[in-house]
């Protein structure tokens, strides 16, 4: 695997000759190993960081998780942390020959999850790998004398930058609490580019993952040490709980740092699987209807939970399905589960409650194919149907009850639309009230909230050269015309003359006609049901042109451009934008306002922009994506390109992530 020359020298210390986590990046190929047969180890992955600045190996352990060395993601300070990767990272899996090979899958990395004590990290893929089976993690460590297969894409004894997976047999010498010392049975060794690659134990007709390449003296590697190879693998048999806890999903404890409900006391009245409201009003006369809102009155953990309430007014047909979250980026797997805690109140804890009414409540899911959870026949861990009616009197009042519903058997392959909290009871009237907390959908496939590289088959541009002329917070158009006389106004359209990936990008252009106040906010996409969560971020690439690449451009005008987002808070109806939010900054600390980007972007180069959205817009809906030019001083033409627009999410609630780190 290729590693940038300026990084190599810092990877191994002269005295210990081992891979260090304090370097600017590791790169352990299997020197002396053999070419791996096509399809023999399809789960081995290659990770390429930045513009060929760093490479590592890894292994697919779930459709969206690649396990590798944490030190592969070390930042400029030499430390790897949980969050967005410090360099844009691409993972190739399922190809013995990554570059130019057929089959397999290629995906970007949306998030890195660092193990709290060991040099291990999970790279969460933006696209699920459905054509390659993940490797199983071994349930126990190997013993001294066991034979393992080590594989990787790194340097060999004769190749500086090999483009083929190599593998070799090793024998376990010693086993410690965190590592395995191994010796090649032949001439194998571990080199730069192999870091994070797998150590595999044969189990019948399959492999089990027992370790990852961690330390090596690089003996036998081209241009490196001579002598006997010294190789240590990081153990992974004891990290399965950590891997499972970080499988893509959705979780919230309704605390300030968690995912905020997208709606408050809003009926889920959509057709095709959505429940609606019939025969239910407010629990007291001053409340207009059934409620669903966060309250700090009762909580299973933390201080806040989701309160539900209502009054059943019909003894024959009553229900209230109240929507809480839009989860349209989540798809159910065979192993997916829904879990939550519920506290149904009795008349003893709330005088407005009647009988066991508060127990006739359950969390419901509607799916994009028009089906739902309540009518699927799914049962919880106690054998009770997941329909609210079938929870009546099965839950203990004034106590926190845990409900766990396996979803795979009834919903495998279905995409979630809405998560609702529902009351449903055919017979019985009167009030009901209670709380739901620590809600989770675990082990699902999680797509990006939104993504487009403008290529065929991807989300198409929604508007062409159309100003976002709505009232504030929309941007509008002022003192900007066409870049040349034959163009009537600012442009925004797809073009194939330049692209960061593929063949197509979004071209923007215009001419600033006023030296004191000029702007042009052009509509690009209406993304639909995209709601911000704590880990949501916007990323894109922008290529601002200079006069050298377009004679109609003036100075640095083309750099005064940024994507702007329009947000809607569904509970209040209030709108906001990205550009005027002071805390919304990119990785360089520059505000996301187009005017603040002036002179900060490099002309005639693709610049990567990443902006965290969760802290300012948690729970809000993104209704528009605009491309904005904005500059107070300066006139003349501007032009450039935007590509690979993505709205991604970490998939783990902040409180959940904190508890994992603490453990």
């Amino acid at each position: 695997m290729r590693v940038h020359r300026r990084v190599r020298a810092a990877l191994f210390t002269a005295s210990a000759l081992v891979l260090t986590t304090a370097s600017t990046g590791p790169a352990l190929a299997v020197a002396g190993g053999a070419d791996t047969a096509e399809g023999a180890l399809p789960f081995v992955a290659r990770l390429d960081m930045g513009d060929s600045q760093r490479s590592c190996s890894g292994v697919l352990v779930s459709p969206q998780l690649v396990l590798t060395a944490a030190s592969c993601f070390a930042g400029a300070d030499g430390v790897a942390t949980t969050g967005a990767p410090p360099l844009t990272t691409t993972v190739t899996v399922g190809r013995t020959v990554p570059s130019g090979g057929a089959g397999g899958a290629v995906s970007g990395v949306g998030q890195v999850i660092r193990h709290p004590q060991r040099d291990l990290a999970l790279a969460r893929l933006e696209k699920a790998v459905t054509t390659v089976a993940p490797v199983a993690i071994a349930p126990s460590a190997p013993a001294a004398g066991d034979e393992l297969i080590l594989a990787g894409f790194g340097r060999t004894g004769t190749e500086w930058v090999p483009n083929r997976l190599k593998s070799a047999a090793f024998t376990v010498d010693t086993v410690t609490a965190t590592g395995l010392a191994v010796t090649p049975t032949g001439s194998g060794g571990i080199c730069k580019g192999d870091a994070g690659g797998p150590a595999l134990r044969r189990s019948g007709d399959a492999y089990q993952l027992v370790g990852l390449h961690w330390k090596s003296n690089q003996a036998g590697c081209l241009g490196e040490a001579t002598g006997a190879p010294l190789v240590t693998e990081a153990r992974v048999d004891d990290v399965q709980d950590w891997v499972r806890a970080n499988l893509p999903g959705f979780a919230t404890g309704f605390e300030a740092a968690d995912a905020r409900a997208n709606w408050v006391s809003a009926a889920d009245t959509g057709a095709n699987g959505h429940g609606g409201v019939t025969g239910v009003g407010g629990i007291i006369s001053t409340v207009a209807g059934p409620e669903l809102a966060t309250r700090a009155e009762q909580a299973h953990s933390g201080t806040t939970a989701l309160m539900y309430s209502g009054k059943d007014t019909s003894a024959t047909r009553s229900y209230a399905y109240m929507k809480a979250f839009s989860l349209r980026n989540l798809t159910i797997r065979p192993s997916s589960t829904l879990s939550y805690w519920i506290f149904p109140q009795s008349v003893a804890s709330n005088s407005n409650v009647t009988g066991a009414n508060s127990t006739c409540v359950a969390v419901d899911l509607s799916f994009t194919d028009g089906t739902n959870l309540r009518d699927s026949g799914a049962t919880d861990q106690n054998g009770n149907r997941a329909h609210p009616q079938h929870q009546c009197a099965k839950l203990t009042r004034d106590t926190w009850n845990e409900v766990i519903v396996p979803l795979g058997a009834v919903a495998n392959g279905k995409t979630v639309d809405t998560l609702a909290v529902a009351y449903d009871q055919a017979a019985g009237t009167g009030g009901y009230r209670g709380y739901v907390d620590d809600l989770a959908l675990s082990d699902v496939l999680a797509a990006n909230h939104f993504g487009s590289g403008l290529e065929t088959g991807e989300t198409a541009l929604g508007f062409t050269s159309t100003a976002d002329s709505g009232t504030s917070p929309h941007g509008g158009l002022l003192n900007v015309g066409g870049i040349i006389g034959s163009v009537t106004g600012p442009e925004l359209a797809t073009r194939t003359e330049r692209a960061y990936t593929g063949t197509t990008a979004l071209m923007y252009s215009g001419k600033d006609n006023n030296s004191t106040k000029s702007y042009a906010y052009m509509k690009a996409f209406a993304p639909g049901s995209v709601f911000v969560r704590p880990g949501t971020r916007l990323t894109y690439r922008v290529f601002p042109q200079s006069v050298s690449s377009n004679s109609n451009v003036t100075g640095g005008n083309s750099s005064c451009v940024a994507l702007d987002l329009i947000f809607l808070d569904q509970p209040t109806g209030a709108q906001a934008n990205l550009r005027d939010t002071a805390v919304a900054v990119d990785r360089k600390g520059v505000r996301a306002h187009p005017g603040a980007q002036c002179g900060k972007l490099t002309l005639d180069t693709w610049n990567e922009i990443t902006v965290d959205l969760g802290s300012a817009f948690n729970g809000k809906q993104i209704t528009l994506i605009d491309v904005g030019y904005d500059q107070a001083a300066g006139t003349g033409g501007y032009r450039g390109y935007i590509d690979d627009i993505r709205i991604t999410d970490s998939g783990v609630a902040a409180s959940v992530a904190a508890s994992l780190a603490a453990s």
Side-chain angles (χ1 to χ4, degrees):
M1 305 196 81
R2 181 164 54 179
V3 178
H4 200 285
R5 285 179 180 269
R6 65 180 172 82
V7 175
R8 288 191 181 115
L11 299 180
F12 294 79
T13 65
S15 58
L17 292 176
V18 295
L19 178 65
T20 65
T21 58
S23 67
T24 55
L28 283 180
V30 176
D35 288 349
T36 303
E38 191 66 42
L41 303 173
F43 42 76
V44 182
R46 188 172 85 174
L47 294 83
D48 293 304
M49 290 88 162
D51 185 15
S52 299
Q53 290 168 268
R54 206 178 295 173
S55 294
C56 282
S57 299
V59 59
L60 188 74
V61 293
S62 90
Q64 278 188 274
L65 293 178
V66 165
L67 184 60
T68 187
S71 44
C72 291
F73 295 102
D77 59 357
V79 177
T81 58
T82 294
L87 297 171
T88 299
T89 303
T90 301
V91 172
T92 304
V93 66
R95 294 181 187 175
T96 302
V97 179
S99 178
V106 179
S107 173
V109 173
Q111 185 196 25
V112 176
I113 305 162
R114 169 98 195 238
H115 190 276
Q117 287 94 30
R118 210 166 293 179
D119 186 26
L120 301 174
L122 290 166
R124 179 168 286 162
L125 306 182
E126 292 179 343
K127 297 178 183 178
V129 177
T130 58
T131 57
V132 177
V135 69
I137 298 177
S140 60
D146 285 357
E147 185 173 291
L148 307 178
I149 298 296
L150 274 59
F153 286 100
R155 191 187 307 177
T156 69
T158 57
E159 296 175 281
W160 193 263
V161 188
N163 186 38
R164 188 178 184 92
L165 180 64
K166 305 283 186 179
S167 56
F170 284 69
T171 300
V172 178
D173 294 329
T174 58
V175 180
T176 68
T178 58
L180 314 167
V182 298
T183 301
T185 60
S187 57
I190 295 299
C191 306
K192 293 183 177 181
D194 282 333
L200 304 160
R201 177 173 62 193
R202 192 79 180 181
S203 177
D205 294 330
Y207 287 102
Q208 292 181 340
L209 180 69
V210 299
L212 293 188
H213 310 332
W214 178 23
K215 300 178 183 179
S216 171
N217 63 353
Q218 298 194 85
C221 305
L222 183 63
E224 299 293 345
T226 60
L230 300 175
V231 177
T232 303
E233 301 291 298
R235 280 181 55 182
V236 300
D237 58 280
D238 55 350
V239 300
Q240 296 197 57
D241 288 345
W242 172 71
V243 172
R244 279 192 290 266
N246 285 291
L247 292 170
F250 170 81
T252 182
F254 302 100
E255 304 302 316
D258 290 335
R260 173 175 168 252
N262 302 141
W263 295 277
V264 172
S265 301
D268 190 12
T269 55
N272 299 322
H274 299 262
V277 175
T278 292
V280 178
I283 190 171
I284 56 176
S285 60
T286 56
V287 177
E291 297 176 287
L292 189 69
T294 52
R295 296 288 170 82
E297 306 156 348
Q298 182 82 246
H300 176 253
S301 64
T303 60
T304 309
L306 195 61
M307 184 278 295
Y308 62 83
S309 79
K311 186 173 184 179
D312 187 327
T313 60
S314 171
T316 57
R317 186 171 175 80
S318 309
Y319 51 82
Y321 288 79
M322 310 300 287
K323 58 186 179 181
F325 296 97
S326 173
L327 301 175
R328 292 179 67 94
N329 69 316
L330 304 183
T331 299
I332 304 303
R333 296 186 64 216
S335 50
S336 299
T337 60
L338 166 69
S339 63
Y340 58 94
W341 290 81
I342 182 168
F343 186 104
Q345 288 188 295
S346 73
V347 67
S349 58
N350 190 294
S351 60
N352 299 298
V353 167
T354 303
N357 282 9
S358 302
T359 65
C360 303
V361 172
V363 172
D364 190 34
L365 303 175
S366 59
F367 302 104
T368 56
D369 66 354
T371 62
N372 54 55
L373 177 61
R374 67 185 182 274
D375 294 327
S376 68
T379 58
D380 63 21
Q381 80 276 23
N382 298 314
N384 301 317
R385 284 231 351 238
H387 194 296
Q389 285 188 18
H390 292 268
Q391 295 291 317
C392 287
K394 302 291 175 36
L395 302 172
T396 304
R397 284 168 281 176
D398 298 330
T399 296
W400 282 106
N401 302 257
E402 185 178 21
V403 178
I404 302 173
V405 184
L407 300 174
V410 299
N412 182 34
K414 295 178 184 286
T415 298
V416 181
D417 187 356
T418 301
L419 184 148
V421 175
Y423 168 86
D424 200 325
Q425 186 180 194
T429 59
Y432 66 89
R433 195 175 187 277
Y435 305 88
V436 172
D437 203 0
D438 293 339
L439 172 67
L441 269 171
S442 60
D443 196 5
V444 299
L445 301 181
N448 288 341
H449 290 297
F450 175 87
S452 183
L454 292 309
E455 305 297 325
T456 302
E458 298 186 319
T459 303
L461 182 65
F463 308 88
T464 300
S465 301
T466 303
D468 185 8
S469 54
T471 57
S472 180
H474 298 264
L477 172 65
L478 183 68
N479 296 326
V480 177
I483 190 170
I484 56 176
S486 59
V487 178
T488 58
E491 298 175 286
L492 188 68
T494 52
R495 295 288 170 82
T496 57
E497 61 237 14
R498 187 180 298 278
Y500 180 69
T501 58
T503 60
T504 308
L506 200 56
M507 185 277 296
Y508 63 84
S509 79
K511 186 174 182 180
D512 187 326
N513 296 314
N514 188 287
S515 61
T516 57
K517 191 172 185 179
S518 308
Y519 49 81
Y521 289 85
M522 312 298 289
K523 294 194 286 188
F525 300 96
S529 297
V530 174
F531 288 81
V532 177
R533 299 173 198 158
T536 302
R537 63 180 181 269
L538 167 71
T539 64
Y540 61 96
R541 298 273 182 165
V542 57
F543 186 104
Q545 289 187 293
S546 73
V547 67
S548 299
S549 58
N550 190 293
S551 60
N552 298 299
V553 167
T554 304
N557 283 7
S558 303
S559 67
C560 304
V561 170
L563 289 190
D564 190 31
L565 305 180
I566 304 298
F567 301 91
L568 171 65
D569 185 74
Q570 285 281 358
T572 65
Q575 295 189 79
N577 57 45
L578 179 63
R579 67 184 185 274
D580 292 328
T581 305
V583 296
V585 297
D586 63 21
R587 287 184 181 176
K588 298 178 181 177
V590 180
R591 275 189 54 200
H593 194 292
Q597 294 290 324
C598 286
K600 302 298 196 311
L601 301 175
T602 304
L603 301 179
D604 298 331
T605 296
W606 284 105
N607 299 257
E608 181 183 10
I609 304 295
T610 298
V611 182
D612 291 326
L613 304 176
S615 60
F617 303 105
N618 184 15
K620 293 181 169 58
Q621 183 180 6
I622 302 172
T623 58
L624 272 177
I625 300 174
D626 292 345
V627 176
Y629 166 86
D630 202 322
Q631 187 179 194
T635 59
Y638 65 89
R639 193 176 187 277
Y641 303 88
I642 291 174
D643 203 358
D644 291 353
I645 303 168
R646 294 174 295 168
I647 298 173
T648 63
D649 192 87
S650 68
V652 178
S655 62
V656 174
S659 65
L660 288 170
S663 64

